[in-house]
Amino acid sequence: MGGGPAGLSAALVLGRCRRTVLLFDHGKPRNAVSRALHGFLGSDGIDPARLREVALAQLAPYPLVVVRKARVVGARRTESGFAVETGDGQRFRSRKLLLAAGVVDDLPDIPGFRQLYGAGVFHCPYCDGWEIQDQPLAVYGRHDDKGGGLSLEMMQWSRDVVLCSDGPAELSADCRARLDRHGITVREEKILRLDVTSDVPHRAAFAVVFESGPALPRGALFFNTGRHQSTDLAKSLGCDTYDPKGCAVDRRTQMTHVPGLYVAGDASRDVLQVVVAAAEGAEAAMAINTALLHEDLT
């Protein structure tokens, strides 16, 4: 389940293995606000929706691959594999189950953030850093890693970086000293809103407005407030290595410790890139086909 790069890639590989594949997709991808996809060799800069169109067209020649627009709301293990139920009450059975439903970013609940999400507010510098290079940047986060670490990382794309922690930054003395050494200002006042002047993608203009002190004009903001699984199906199926940020899997096969249950894409690791998700989907598909071959020929 999951119609993103991981699920589509797995469906393609399994279709070529002459396996019967049912792909569920509810049509709400993590990158829905993205204007372009980057870092995918051969498709750098492509519209994510266009990539999906191409992928679905390339699945069409494989008659055993069926794509259904539905959300899986329940799953359980059976003697022969798994049983899943969709939101419209339909039930299906399978021998193996691949979860590729991805994650959901925890967007700060501050006026202006959602309006700018994908235009001037971003979560991944590898996806959008090039487009906003040399602009005045804000980083939203706390602690050494999510606040200080991301601020230092953003200096690769701009020398004008301000850390906005929306309250106490909770930085170690060492981290604060590193920020000072590199000229990164820390604003710890509570944030009231983002005053948006322009929401043109990658050419946005806004001001961070605080409870006290002067407003901060910026061109882009990167946040690091965490993410959560888009579904808790892995947990409900008994995956005791489940984590809100991802599920522990065998890196060679993408299988969890639950027999027959595989997880690929953003839901399985911390390198949240389309090219990685697609590769993991292919890895999972080959592992699934190998497992099915072993069952069929034993």
Side-chain angles (χ1 to χ4, degrees), residues 25-37:
D25 176 32
H26 59 72
K28 295 181 179 179
R30 182 190 186 202
N31 62 1
V33 299
S34 297
R35 272 67 174 184
L37 178 156

Side-chain angles (χ1 to χ4, degrees), residues 40-107:
F40 198 150
L41 186 63
S43 297
D44 190 63
I46 190 174
D47 185 326
R50 175 56 182 160
L51 180 67
R52 174 181 162 76
E53 290 176 4
V54 172
L56 290 173
Q58 291 178 349
L59 289 178
Y62 304 98
L64 296 181
V65 176
V66 177
V67 180
R68 295 183 63 91
K69 188 174 183 179
R71 182 180 182 87
V72 175
V73 297
R76 62 182 177 84
R77 297 174 65 188
T78 66
E79 290 185 1
S80 59
F82 299 89
V84 301
E85 181 178 353
T86 58
D88 57 4
Q90 296 191 70
R91 294 178 173 84
F92 304 88
R93 292 180 178 272
S94 67
R95 291 163 65 185
K96 308 295 179 185
L97 179 60
L98 170 62
L99 299 181
V103 296
V104 178
D105 294 296
D106 298 327
L107 193 65

